[in-house]
Each structure stands twice: as structure tokens, then as C-alpha cells.
Amino acid sequence: MGEWPLIAGQIFNGFSVASLYVLAALGLALSFGLMRVINMAHGEMLMLGGYLAYLTLQVVPGPLGILAAMPVAFLGAAAVGAVLETTLIKRLSARPLDTLLATWGVSLILQQAARNIFGAIGVDVRAPDWLNHAYTVPSGLLEGLTIPATRLFILGVAFAVMGALSLLLARTRIGLLVRAVNQDRGMAAASGINVRAVDLSVFCLGTGIAGLAGVVLALLGPVTPNVGQSYVVPAFLVVVLGGLGSLKGTAIASLIVGLFSALVQILVDVSLAQVLLLLFVIGFIQFRPQGVVAVRSRALDA
Amino acid sequence: MADTLLKLDGVATAYGQSQALWDIDLEVPAGSAVALIGRNGVGKTTLLKTIIGAQRLSGGRMTFQGRDVSALGPHQRARAGIGYVPQGRHIFPHLTVRENLETGLSALAGRAGGAGAMSKSAIGAGIPDHIFDLFPKLAQIINRKGGVLSGGEQQQLAIGRALAGQPRLLLLDEPTEGIQPSVVQQIEDALRRIRAELGVTVLIVEQYLDFAWSFADSYRVMQRGRIIRAGSTREETAAEVAHLVNI
Ligand SMILES: Nc1ncnc2c1ncn2[C@@H]1O[C@H](COP(=O)(O)OP(=O)(O)O)[C@@H](O)[C@H]1O
Ligand SMILES: [Mg+2]
């Protein structure tokens, strides 16, 4: 195997890592974009999705279990998001620092709860057979390049979620209301839009997408109580890099972060790659504090 | 004697610690037009914001169609039948004209007979036809973004958006402020038609006393957060109150 398959493999890896980051970061970007809320418990929505996938596969084994797990995880995480929003975030909305601390507390509680229920070791979600193989390039420049089907599946899910979200925002009535609230909250309310209901829906949509991301994560490794933590940090980086709340920016930033980590890992080990990533993001923000895609008020205009 | 559509009793409001309105009593009879006048900074905009619910009452009480709405939020008051055209227009800049108008339809939620009562236009789903009849320009620029429109176009859109919610009461805050003279006339004509043809009750903040007098039935003068004088535009001339308004 020469240089090219290795580099191409890492580029593909970068894309699939990017698609995980997109799924993990979209919810953060949505709730930050609309409500300026930073939900520190967002990573635990991923974890929740992972455990819900595990439970669903207990009930629905067989090849289609993973597909059944996706709506279950989406709805489960959205429901927990609804509880979180109505009990905590709504009440603290005027106090960003308190929201940060309170949701951080929720994050710790959820992790401990998972530890108590499922144990600290973690549980496995086995990919179904139809995802359990890999495509290998037989000859030519990229001979030997191997692409696992799970990674393709993740890429597909990320594209589908981005596409569905863009359509939802651009083409539906609720999307119109979200954009109106995002552009002028006071005027939206005075026009008869139930701004509270829009906030709640968007927050739940965001946590639901994180739940979906959790299912996808579960295909790659064991679901542990702190599985969300390892993705939520890059997700925060992505949101900052993308321009705080912009969907397009989130997608582009995910790609940058994903490719950056994957390619740097060819040269250095994983932890040094993380350090370099952090330095890269800090450097980027110095030069372009508004992120990849600026314009605050257009944040959610897909 | 006409029914009272809107009634404020001893209403007060504050921006944080600083009180902005004191002891406002105001009655707006159904079908009438009331002009709210006064110098800059006396609280006219604040009063309209308090009526739509963007500013909370810190005292007093407000009824609309006989129902106490003091505790309701803006979207509930809009749905009860209050339309708001704010100072500065507040068009959603990244929504098209059509989408801006569609946001106004939200005020119809849960209203009996609401959306079905009026003829719908072919141009926008559910947007009443009479809006394009009043403002033909809006039909021509239906797919343009709100942020790129001229002041006059934005003003027509802001009024159209409020009308899309089929309000009983329309709150207008300086609707001709900063607009080209050629368009001012169109807007004034449209406002007269809104009264005459749609029977909408109007509370209007207006600096131009000539228009206020020709348009409204009664006036209120504000000074330092209070209503200091009320009267009929039919029984008094604008010149008699001008000294309270001009600098
Ligand atoms: N958002 C605000 N925060 C604090 N004070 C305000 C705010 N808006 C208006 N005010 C103050 O309230 C008073 C009334 O303002 P306003 O209602 O806009 O007057 P008008 O519309 O008659 O020109 C002014 O003294 C103004 O400075
Ligand atoms: Mg004003």
C-alpha cells in the first residue's frame, strides 16, 4: 500500500468524522442560534441516544433494529430536551452563566445515572450484517483503500439530517416561524407567533438530532456514560468556528475540523492532533472572530 | 354611544428601574380612530408597546373587547385582535415580502371564523386579497427580501403584515416617518381605506397634525409619560393644541 490510499483513506475518515461532528454540533448551533443558550448537557443527549439504541436492539434484534433505533433515540432525546427546556433553561434564559452551570450539573447527573443503570464499562451496539463489511479498492492508484460501510452510513445520515433541516427551515410553516423569531423576536411575538413554543420546538429538535447522532456513534464504539464528552468538545469548537449558530457555518466548520484532525493524525498521534486542532481554532478565531459564516441574524437561514 | 374596544385604567410601565408611563387612562371606541401626539421622548411608542404587550404593565389594567388582557403576552394580544405597526417598521430583513406577510397570519391562530372569513389571494397562501388591493406594489415585489426594500415599501409591508392577522384594532407608530413625500400620500390614502372599507379601529401616533386631524376622531396629547390632554378633532382645531406638540 502506497502513500495515496493512506491519504485518501484519511480524507475519507475526515469526512466521516466531520459528519459525526455535524450531527453532534447541529443541536448546539440551533439552540445557540435562536436562544443564545449554551447547553452543557448536550453531550449527554448523544449518550442517551446511544443507550436508547442499545435498548431498542434488545427489543428489536435483527437487521432493521438500527433503523428502528433512530426514531426512538430522536424522540427520546427530544423528550428529555423538552423537560430540560421547560424546567431549567426557560427559567434561566436571562442568565447565561447560570444556564451554563445548571446544564453542566444536569450533564453530571445524567452521566452518573447512566453509570448506575448500565454500569461504567459501557455497552455494545453491534452493527447489523448489512453494515458489517467494507469496500476495498481492488486496483489502481488507490489500491488497498478500505471504506467501511458504517462510515458510509454515517455520512448518509449526516447528509440526510442536514438536508431535512434545511428543507424544514426553508420550506415549512414552522421553519418560517423559526426564521422570523430568529430575525426579530419582539416583532415575531407582536405578529402573533408563540415565541415560547418556537423556542421549545427548536431546542427539542436540537436534542433530538443529538440523540440520532448517539445511535450513529454507537455503531463505532461502545456506549459509555461519558461517550458524549469526547464529541461535545469538538462540537463546541465546530459551533464557535462555524459562526455561532449558523447552520451553513456548522457544516463547513465540521468539515474543516474533521479533515484537520484526520490529516494531522497521519503525522502525529491522536492527543497531539487534538492540541493542534485547539491551537488552530484559537488562531482562526483571532483572525476571524465572527467564524466561517458571519451575520448573526441570518444564523438559521440554512 | 359605541362600544369601547380598548380601555386602559391607570396603566404604568417601566424600563428596568426607570418608570416611563404614569397613570394612563385611555378609551378607544370601536370603529373610531384616535391620534396620539406629543414631542419626542414623551412615551408614545412606549404606550403602544405596552398595549401590544412588549412592555409589561407595572400598574393598572387593560381590557380589550371587555376582556382583561393585562397579563397576556404579545402573541396572545395579537391573536385577540390587536395589530401592531411599530416605529421603524421592523420588517424581517431576510424574509421575502410574501414570508413577511405570512408571519402575520399567525395572529389568526385559534380565532373563530378567522382565516376563512376573507377572500384569499392567489399570490400568497392565505394572505387576504385586500392587502394587495390596498398596496398593489407588494404584489410586484412579492419575492424580494424585506431588508432591501425602500422605506415606503417596508411601511406598506408592515401595515400589510399587521392586516394579515385581521385585527380589530390597529396600532400605528408614525407610519409616514422618514418616507418619501410621494409615498406618504399613498400610505395615508390606504389608512383611510382601512378605516372605511375594513372597519378597523385605529390608534395612531402621528407627528403631522394636519393628517392626524383629517384622519382621527379624537386626540390625546402626551407629555413626560402621561396623557395631559384629550379632545375631539371635530370640535377643536389642530392649531389649538399645536403649542403642546411643537418645540
Ligand atoms: N428600551 C428602552 N430602555 C430604556 N428607556 C427607554 C427605552 N425606550 C424608550 N425609553 C425612554 O422612554 C421614554 C419614552 O420614549 P418613547 O416611548 O420612545 O417616546 P416617543 O415615542 O414619544 O418619542 C424616553 O425617555 C426614552 O428615553
Ligand atoms: Mg416613538
Side-chain angles (χ1 to χ4, degrees):
Chain A
M1 200 161 102
E3 289 281 291
W4 288 113
L6 178 68
I7 292 172
Q10 284 304 87
I11 289 177
F12 179 75
N13 247 350
F15 271 93
S16 74
V17 171
S19 50
L20 279 174
Y21 290 166
V22 163
L23 291 174
L26 273 179
L28 284 174
L30 277 174
S31 50
F32 189 85
L34 190 69
M35 303 149 77
R36 305 279 132 184
V37 159
I38 296 175
N39 174 17
M40 295 295 284
H42 190 73
E44 280 52 57
M45 300 298 126
L46 284 125
M47 172 202 79
L48 182 69
Y51 282 113
L52 285 173
Y54 168 74
L55 292 176
T56 308
L57 284 175
Q58 306 290 306
V59 181
V60 194
L64 298 181
I66 200 76
L67 298 182
M70 296 176 80
V72 170
F74 178 88
L75 293 174
V80 172
V83 173
L84 187 62
E85 209 276 350
T86 47
T87 55
L88 215 62
I89 288 171
K90 180 185 80 174
R91 285 163 212 276
L92 296 177
S93 61
R95 287 147 35 200
L97 196 58
D98 293 357
T99 311
L100 213 69
L101 284 174
T103 54
W104 186 49
V106 170
S107 145
L108 296 179
I109 291 169
L110 289 176
Q111 285 182 43
Q112 189 55 45
R115 215 165 277 132
N116 292 349
I117 298 170
F118 297 100
I121 312 281
V123 297
D124 273 314
V125 172
R126 241 181 58 81
D129 288 340
W130 56 274
L131 280 178
N132 231 338
H133 56 91
Y135 304 96
T136 304
V137 178
S139 61
L141 188 60
L142 298 180
E143 183 184 339
L145 170 62
T146 301
I147 294 176
T150 38
R151 299 263 170 182
L152 282 176
F153 180 69
I154 292 166
L155 212 59
V157 171
F159 269 104
V161 168
M162 279 298 288
L165 198 55
S166 302
L167 280 180
L168 179 82
L169 285 174
R171 296 284 160 80
T172 66
R173 175 84 189 156
I174 174 78
L176 173 66
L177 303 186
V178 171
R179 286 181 290 146
V181 172
N182 192 44
Q183 286 170 35
D184 191 332
R185 180 168 283 267
M187 194 59 230
S191 302
I193 297 172
N194 186 345
V195 171
R196 270 292 307 142
V198 170
D199 279 349
L200 179 61
S201 316
V202 167
F203 191 82
C204 291
L205 182 65
T207 56
I209 293 173
L212 204 61
V215 178
V216 168
L217 275 186
L219 291 174
L220 295 180
V223 181
T224 62
N226 51 10
V227 65
Q229 293 299 307
S230 42
Y231 284 91
V232 82
V233 173
F236 273 117
L237 288 183
V238 160
V239 172
V240 171
L241 192 64
L244 297 177
S246 148
L247 293 191
K248 206 181 286 169
T250 301
I252 296 170
S254 299
L255 208 56
I256 294 174
V257 171
L259 286 175
F260 184 94
S261 336
L263 291 176
V264 167
Q265 277 176 38
I266 300 180
L267 306 171
V268 301
D269 70 16
V270 178
S271 40
L272 188 53
Q274 299 238 322
V275 172
L276 290 176
L277 173 63
L278 199 58
L279 289 177
F280 168 74
V281 171
I282 291 170
F284 185 90
I285 296 303
Q286 293 298 317
F287 290 110
R288 210 180 144 77
Q290 70 274 43
V292 180
V293 175
V295 197
R296 278 169 67 134
S297 61
R298 209 157 44 188
L300 294 181
D301 289 9
Chain B
M1 178 74 200
D3 290 343
T4 299
L5 184 61
L6 175 75
K7 190 166 190 289
L8 275 66
D9 283 305
V11 162
T13 195
Y15 291 107
Q17 296 298 313
S18 85
Q19 189 160 353
L21 295 180
W22 282 264
D23 197 25
I24 301 283
D25 293 330
L26 174 67
E27 278 193 38
V28 179
S32 72
V34 175
L36 199 56
I37 57 183
R39 297 182 179 114
N40 274 333
V42 296
K44 305 180 297 295
T45 295
T46 303
L47 180 51
L48 293 201
K49 276 158 70 176
T50 306
I51 293 170
I52 192 62
Q55 270 294 116
R56 282 191 26 201
L57 302 192
S58 58
R61 155 186 139 87
M62 169 175 152
T63 57
F64 183 68
Q65 297 186 285
R67 165 180 169 221
D68 190 336
V69 295
S70 310
L72 299 189
H75 81 273
Q76 292 163 310
R77 296 195 196 180
R79 290 176 184 192
I82 304 179
Y84 182 43
V85 180
Q87 189 168 20
R89 309 179 277 272
H90 284 259
I91 293 304
F92 300 110
H94 307 297
L95 300 188
T96 64
V97 168
R98 181 201 314 274
E99 289 172 330
N100 266 283
L101 292 170
E102 282 172 1
T103 60
L105 299 173
S106 303
L108 299 172
R111 206 180 310 164
M118 299 270 185
S119 68
K120 309 271 180 48
S121 93
I123 297 171
I127 302 166
D129 240 342
H130 61 255
I131 293 173
F132 299 109
D133 192 36
L134 283 164
F135 304 112
K137 188 74 206 270
L138 293 182
Q140 294 162 24
I141 56 175
I142 194 82
N143 290 319
R144 301 255 301 273
K145 288 270 158 82
V148 304
L149 306 182
S150 72
E153 291 164 347
Q154 286 194 343
Q155 191 64 56
Q156 298 179 37
L157 178 55
I159 298 170
R161 175 178 62 189
L163 289 180
Q166 296 174 22
R168 299 273 327 261
L169 171 68
L170 191 59
L171 308 174
L172 294 158
D173 199 343
E174 305 203 25
T176 56
E177 185 193 29
I179 283 167
Q180 287 170 273
S182 60
V183 186
V184 167
Q185 190 61 50
Q186 285 176 37
I187 289 174
E188 289 180 356
D189 290 344
L191 293 179
R192 288 181 216 282
R193 286 182 59 196
I194 288 166
R195 279 201 72 186
E197 296 169 20
L198 303 177
V200 175
T201 306
V202 177
L203 176 59
I204 182 172
V205 174
E206 180 57 66
Q207 298 277 20
Y208 301 104
L209 295 193
D210 288 347
F211 177 64
W213 249 251
S214 71
F215 179 73
D217 308 304
S218 71
Y219 71 87
R220 305 287 184 283
V221 181
M222 287 189 75
Q223 212 170 68
R224 297 222 232 137
R226 298 171 192 272
I227 291 178
I228 56 151
R229 179 161 166 171
S232 160
T233 56
R234 307 286 171 258
E235 289 156 16
E236 295 166 75
T237 63
E240 288 173 72
V241 294
H243 67 284
L244 296 169
V245 178
N246 299 332
I247 299 137

